[in-house]
Amino acid sequence: MSYLLLRRNKFLALIKRQSLIFPITFTETKTLINPDPNIPQFQNPCSILRIAHYATQSSKFPEYEMPTVTWGVIQGKKEKLVNRVKICDYLKGLGIITDELESIELPSTIEVMCERVEFLQKLGLTIDDINEYPLMLGCSVRKNLIPVLAYLEKIGISRSKLGEFVKNYPQVLHASVVVELAPVVKFLRGLDVEKQDLGYVLMKYPELLGFKLEGTMSTSVAYLVSIGVSPRDIGPMVTQYPYLLGMRVGTMIKPLVDYLISIGLPKKIVARMLEKRAYIVGYNLEETVKPNVDCLISFGVKKELLPLLIAQYPQILGLPVKAKMSTQQYFFSLKLKIDPEGFARVVEKMPQIVSLKQNVIMKPIEFLLGRAFQVEDIAKMVVRCPQILCSRVELMKNSYYFYKTEMGRPMKELVEYPEYFTYSLESRIKPRYQKLQSKGIRSSLNWFLNCSDQRFEERLQGNFIDPDTEGPMFDMGGKLEMPGGEIVSDEEEDESDDEVLYRRTLTL
């Protein structure tokens, strides 16, 4: 008897569980099980199983299981296949190629897929953009798209540029914010990339978000520090040229550094060059850098002066040097009768000349021609001090009139010392000349202009006159400074990027 009671309790428990899922109440079940109280209970237990089976297979109610993590509907194989065909037909109707979607799970209904497509389109993506990476249609709006885009906006990518970012790097939609994105951002902040620059860096090189921290990024940073790059400069370098974090040291960065050292540049100077112009590491060694160095030598630049030239204007390693040198050499020969050897001397002293527009070069030349300087004299002046070609004509006028009216010196001295036009009239020429006048000293332009303020005072106090010294030169490990040199700023005409870059970076 106890055995029958135990079986009865088990079947009642089964019916209770079924009643939670199917619309059959417990009282209804009891009535079905024992309609006649005179009949012993559980005389025919199979009838209970038939009722439960009937309730389970009833076509009146959809087939549900306990809710999953996504709280979605669990479809049968046939229904799932039918819905997949419907979704693919819907996407094809929009012009989306569905070939790559065969291997990924698609949403259960067309409505959900429609929501995804509309979300991406509101973001700024076109059907063509989706066809470039159709796997983005496998990303849930709530589980993938919204969390990732919200995080990108939080770290500095403006909402208006999120579509462009996704277009450039759609794989980010599959990433986990906590596991993949946040660690990369933390790594960049650890390199001293400013918080307000994160958006700029990632917009420029979005693939950074897919890198492993212990891989190429860490190796690149470690190598740069090992050659003398200051750790505190890594952040600004990454901000300027984030691609360096994706470059392999052994095949890209180290060979370039080794080559620059081999042609005479000290490792410290190479490190300073990279700190200021990180994009140099992106120059292709075999296709660009080596051919440009060979080209400079073929145009007459002395090998021993190559380190000075490159340190003064590292950008020349990445320019189309042969075309620019040929054009400028012909121009100098035509306008100033400067022979190839003289042009090589000009490039050695001011390599930026290869990128300077000819109409900009002509303005100082026309000014000198208008002051009765002969073409051959101007050629001598340019070969001795090509920096005069970068001086503003307005400043040259002021310096010239002071020279003629106040100093009253012959023009021959300007031909011999054209550096006069590179010094500031108000801060150097006038005050020093007035002191010479008060002392009754007459000296060459070179003697009283080409020295520091302290050295000039020492000369005034001495009973002797120092011999003239050579003009400013590059000191390895230091700077090439043209004291008082004014940078050309022609606001009336549009300037090329090379000109603007030259004006801003005359020296290291």
Side-chain angles (χ1 to χ4, degrees):
M1 188 66 182
S2 60
Y3 174 76
L4 290 175
L5 287 174
L6 180 62
R7 291 286 303 274
R8 176 180 180 275
N9 291 337
K10 286 184 177 180
F11 281 113
L12 288 176
L14 173 64
I15 297 304
K16 284 183 179 180
R17 286 197 299 271
Q18 295 293 338
S19 68
L20 295 177
I21 302 176
F22 303 101
I24 303 176
T25 64
F26 181 73
T27 56
E28 290 170 340
T29 308
K30 186 174 181 181
T31 303
L32 289 170
I33 294 173
N34 192 10
D36 188 351
N38 297 320
I39 299 176
Q41 294 184 17
F42 299 101
Q43 183 176 353
N44 187 11
C46 293
S47 62
I48 302 172
L49 296 178
R50 284 197 298 270
I51 294 169
H53 179 73
Y54 172 80
T56 304
Q57 298 299 325
S58 175
S59 61
K60 294 182 180 180
F61 310 104
E63 183 181 358
Y64 286 100
E65 287 184 359
M66 288 299 291
T68 64
V69 178
T70 57
W71 301 91
V73 177
I74 304 300
Q75 300 173 322
K77 290 184 178 179
K78 183 177 180 181
E79 186 178 3
K80 187 181 292 187
L81 181 61
V82 170
N83 283 338
R84 188 178 185 90
V85 172
K86 290 179 179 179
I87 291 173
C88 288
D89 289 341
Y90 162 72
L91 294 175
K92 290 177 182 177
L94 296 177
I96 296 174
I97 302 172
T98 60
D99 296 348
E100 295 184 37
L101 301 179
E102 294 178 0
S103 59
I104 68 171
E105 184 178 351
L106 296 180
S108 56
T109 64
I110 292 180
E111 288 75 14
V112 176
M113 179 56 77
C114 181
E115 180 188 16
R116 293 184 187 181
V117 174
E118 289 178 355
F119 186 93
L120 293 171
Q121 288 179 326
K122 287 179 181 178
L123 202 61
L125 274 66
T126 64
I127 297 298
D128 290 338
D129 297 328
I130 296 175
N131 279 328
E132 287 291 327
Y133 189 77
L135 296 180
M136 67 175 70
L137 294 174
C139 297
S140 166
V141 172
R142 290 162 184 81
K143 290 175 60 179
N144 300 95
L145 303 183
I146 291 178
V148 168
L149 297 176
Y151 183 73
L152 293 175
E153 189 174 359
K154 178 183 175 182
I155 62 176
I157 298 175
S158 64
R159 183 169 299 184
S160 61
K161 293 185 178 180
L162 287 175
E164 180 184 350
F165 187 91
V166 172
K167 187 185 303 183
N168 293 332
Y169 185 57
Q171 294 88 342
V172 73
L173 298 177
H174 299 285
S176 164
V177 171
V178 176
V179 178
E180 297 171 281
L181 304 186
V184 173
V185 171
K186 185 178 179 181
F187 177 82
L188 294 175
R189 293 287 289 123
L191 296 179
D192 286 338
V193 175
E194 297 294 336
K195 188 175 182 180
Q196 63 269 20
D197 293 330
L198 282 174
Y200 170 79
V201 170
L202 294 176
M203 279 297 297
K204 202 169 184 181
Y205 192 32
E207 288 83 359
L208 279 178
L209 291 174
F211 287 172
K212 300 297 182 183
L213 304 184
E214 65 277 5
T216 307
M217 292 198 293
S218 298
T219 307
S220 300
V221 172
Y223 177 76
L224 291 171
V225 172
S226 73
I227 65 172
V229 173
S230 173
R232 66 183 180 184
D233 286 320
I234 295 292
M237 289 175 65
V238 171
T239 302
Q240 179 190 144
Y241 192 72
Y243 306 101
L244 67 87
L245 293 178
M247 293 181 175
R248 295 189 177 276
V249 171
T251 58
M252 298 187 72
I253 303 178
K254 188 177 184 298
L256 176 64
V257 172
D258 291 344
Y259 177 74
L260 294 177
I261 294 173
S262 72
I263 61 176
L265 280 160
K267 187 183 291 186
K268 287 184 178 180
I269 297 300
V270 175
R272 299 293 86 78
M273 286 167 52
L274 297 182
E275 286 174 359
K276 301 298 181 183
R277 301 175 182 85
Y279 53 82
I280 292 172
V281 299
Y283 292 160
N284 188 290
L285 177 60
E286 299 298 331
E287 296 180 8
T288 305
V289 176
K290 286 184 178 180
N292 280 349
V293 170
D294 294 339
C295 179
L296 289 169
I297 295 173
S298 70
F299 272 86
V301 175
K302 298 175 183 176
K303 286 186 178 180
E304 59 270 22
L305 294 180
L306 274 175
L308 311 181
L309 183 153
I310 294 171
Q312 185 181 349
Y313 189 51
Q315 298 94 314
I316 201 169
L317 294 175
L319 296 175
V321 172
K322 185 173 183 180
K324 287 180 174 290
M325 290 278 285
S326 299
T327 301
Q328 296 294 62
Q329 186 186 71
Y330 176 76
F331 173 77
F332 276 76
S333 174
L334 180 66
K335 297 293 183 181
L336 295 174
K337 310 303 180 187
I338 294 177
D339 59 18
E341 183 179 352
F343 177 71
R345 304 291 81 78
V346 170
V347 174
E348 289 171 354
K349 294 176 181 178
M350 196 181 78
Q352 294 89 344
I353 200 72
V354 301
S355 299
L356 216 53
K357 278 189 176 180
Q358 295 175 0
N359 64 327
V360 175
I361 295 173
M362 282 303 299
K363 289 181 180 180
I365 294 175
E366 289 170 352
F367 166 77
L368 295 174
L369 289 171
R371 301 305 175 274
F373 285 94
Q374 300 299 314
V375 172
E376 49 273 18
D377 290 335
I378 298 175
K380 292 178 183 177
M381 296 168 72
V382 169
V383 172
R384 177 179 170 87
C385 180
Q387 284 77 9
I388 63 174
L389 298 178
C390 309
S391 299
R392 292 181 59 184
V393 172
E394 294 79 4
L395 299 176
M396 292 181 70
K397 286 180 181 179
N398 295 336
S399 298
Y400 177 77
Y401 289 131
F402 180 82
Y403 180 86
K404 291 293 292 183
T405 58
E406 298 295 329
M407 300 175 70
R409 296 189 176 214
M411 293 175 62
K412 181 182 178 181
E413 283 194 63
L414 288 178
V415 175
E416 294 174 351
Y417 193 71
E419 290 90 339
Y420 170 84
F421 288 109
T422 67
Y423 295 106
S424 170
L425 177 63
E426 298 299 329
S427 64
R428 177 165 295 206
I429 298 175
K430 276 187 180 180
R432 290 193 180 186
Y433 178 73
Q434 290 167 358
K435 289 182 179 181
L436 287 178
Q437 290 293 91
S438 64
K439 293 282 187 178
I441 299 175
R442 180 173 178 81
S443 68
S444 68
L445 296 174
N446 189 355
W447 185 84
F448 83 88
L449 291 176
N450 186 26
C451 61
S452 64
D453 290 338
Q454 181 180 352
R455 186 58 175 162
F456 177 70
E457 293 297 333
E458 291 174 355
R459 289 178 176 181
L460 289 181
Q461 300 302 324
N463 297 321
F464 61 94
I465 296 179
D466 289 344
D468 290 343
T469 57
E470 291 295 324
M473 288 293 290
F474 177 83
D475 180 19
M476 188 63 72
K479 297 181 179 180
L480 177 64
E481 296 181 349
M482 294 302 298
E486 297 291 342
I487 297 176
V488 179
S489 178
D490 189 0
E491 299 178 356
E492 296 179 0
E493 297 186 14
D494 293 332
E495 298 177 347
S496 68
D497 291 341
D498 285 334
E499 289 178 78
V500 174
L501 188 59
Y502 163 64
R503 285 157 172 66
R504 291 179 181 173
T505 58
L506 240 183
T507 63
L508 271 174

